[in-house]
């Protein structure tokens, strides 16, 4: 991806702080957005700070992307709890959308 395109993309995406400050507004703003498809399974050479690492332990707990992901989940939790069952998948999709729109990927280690 061209560096200029990357900058224009990130300027149109709200910061994690603004999403955390009003998750309900972000849920409504992202309602008709399509979640970007993850790339096909390939070997990842580099893990970026917005990536979410699946797993347990210190490496995943302290990774910046996981910290942001946990903060997103925590911010949406009150809305999720009061939502009807049919609306809960939309909240989960909004969290995934928030991670992917910032360039984050959900990664699983394969040894």
């Amino acid at each position: 991806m061209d560096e200029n395109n990357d900058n224009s993309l990130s300027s149109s995406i709200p910061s994690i702080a603004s999403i955390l400050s009003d998750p309900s507004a972000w849920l409504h703003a992202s309602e008709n957005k399509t979640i970007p498809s993850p790339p096909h399974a390939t070997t990842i050479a580099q893990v970026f700070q917005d990536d979410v690492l699946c797993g347990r332990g210190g490496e995943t707990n302290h990774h910046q992307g996981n910290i942001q992901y946990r903060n997103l989940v925590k911010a949406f939790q009150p809305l999720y709890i009061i939502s009807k069952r049919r609306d809960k998948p939309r909240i989960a999709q909004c969290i995934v959308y928030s991670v992917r729109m910032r360039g984050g990927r959900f990664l699983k280690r394969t040894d």
Side-chain angles (χ1 to χ4, degrees):
M1 178 179 276
D2 184 354
E3 186 175 326
N4 292 334
N5 289 342
D6 192 36
N7 288 341
S8 65
L9 177 66
S10 64
S11 65
S12 65
I13 300 169
S15 69
I16 291 293
S18 67
I19 295 171
L20 294 176
S21 68
D22 194 356
S24 182
W26 177 239
L27 178 64
H28 294 297
S30 65
E31 197 161 18
N32 295 322
K33 306 291 184 185
T34 303
I35 298 174
S37 299
H40 295 307
T42 60
T43 302
I44 304 296
Q46 185 176 4
V47 176
F48 300 110
Q49 75 174 22
D50 289 323
D51 292 337
V52 176
L53 308 178
C54 298
R56 299 175 51 184
E59 181 181 10
T60 58
N61 287 340
H62 300 298
H63 183 70
Q64 183 63 34
N66 288 53
I67 294 168
Q68 290 176 355
Y69 174 74
R70 285 194 307 270
N71 288 336
L72 281 170
V73 170
K74 189 184 293 185
F76 280 95
Q77 186 177 18
L79 186 61
Y80 186 87
I81 289 170
I82 64 169
S83 294
K84 294 188 173 168
R85 185 176 184 167
R86 70 175 181 266
D87 298 326
K88 291 183 179 194
R90 182 66 194 134
I91 295 170
Q93 289 172 345
C94 183
I95 293 169
V96 171
Y97 176 77
S98 300
V99 171
R100 290 200 179 141
M101 289 309 296
R102 301 197 57 71
R105 304 167 291 178
F106 291 87
L107 304 177
K108 176 183 173 184
R109 174 172 281 183
T110 56
D111 291 325

